[in-house]
Amino acid sequence: MSLTVEGFKSSAVLTQIDDHLKTLSDAERQDQVKKVKGVFQFNVKNKAGKVATWTFDLKTGNGAMHKGTVTGVKPDITIDIADDDFVALSEGKANGQKLFMSGKIKVKGAVMLATKLDSVLNAAKEKSGVKAKL
């Protein structure tokens, strides 16, 4: 299933992360799940004011990225961010802590999980060019 949502530049970044995850062996994916043990929900708002949601499940199975919410899967952390800020973050042009401190990223739930997500994004960066750091 495609992760692309028309009108959201962040779709491409999330697709890159998902593509990277799919290149890993089952053992490597399970290792990522063991390291992170969390479900992330990204609520991304574009310039038109529309919100798209993606769920990154690194808690069950081999880990998976989904467009929208997943029935029966409750996020451990919810991250609200503007589309442009998400892209800037992924390109290394923005700092997650500064965005958080300035109120441009709103986080609900297990905030410390964001630091664990960083290890997954760093692994994706090495192989696919994703640069996001939360």
Side-chain angles (χ1 to χ4, degrees):
M1 177 172 77
S2 171
L3 296 173
T4 303
V5 177
E6 192 172 324
F8 288 85
K9 295 180 248 174
S10 51
S11 295
V13 175
L14 291 161
T15 298
Q16 276 186 314
I17 294 168
D18 187 52
D19 288 346
H20 163 70
L21 194 61
K22 290 175 181 173
T23 67
L24 301 177
S25 70
D26 284 347
E28 289 171 317
R29 289 175 72 155
Q30 288 169 0
D31 187 49
Q32 292 290 344
V33 169
K34 285 177 191 171
K35 284 181 191 174
V36 178
K37 297 180 189 159
V39 176
F40 300 82
Q41 179 175 310
F42 297 98
N43 299 321
V44 181
K45 188 174 188 176
N46 69 7
K47 286 184 180 179
K50 294 183 179 180
V51 176
T53 299
W54 290 269
T55 303
F56 194 14
D57 182 354
L58 285 171
K59 191 174 194 174
T60 60
N62 287 342
M65 183 78 73
H66 306 275
K67 184 167 50 175
T69 58
V70 179
T71 305
V73 177
K74 183 180 178 213
D76 296 298
I77 181 171
T78 302
I79 300 169
D80 296 333
I81 187 169
D83 193 35
D84 288 338
D85 290 332
F86 190 93
V87 172
L89 185 64
S90 72
E91 293 174 344
K93 295 177 182 174
N95 178 289
Q97 290 177 339
K98 287 181 182 177
L99 290 173
F100 177 76
M101 297 305 259
S102 66
K104 291 185 174 186
I105 294 179
K106 294 187 177 29
V107 180
K108 297 176 200 133
V111 177
M112 292 308 293
L113 272 177
T115 60
K116 290 185 176 184
L117 180 61
D118 198 33
S119 67
V120 175
L121 297 178
N122 283 336
K125 173 177 70 173
E126 290 173 15
K127 293 190 177 182
S128 68
V130 174
K131 298 178 184 174
K133 181 173 173 111
L134 295 177

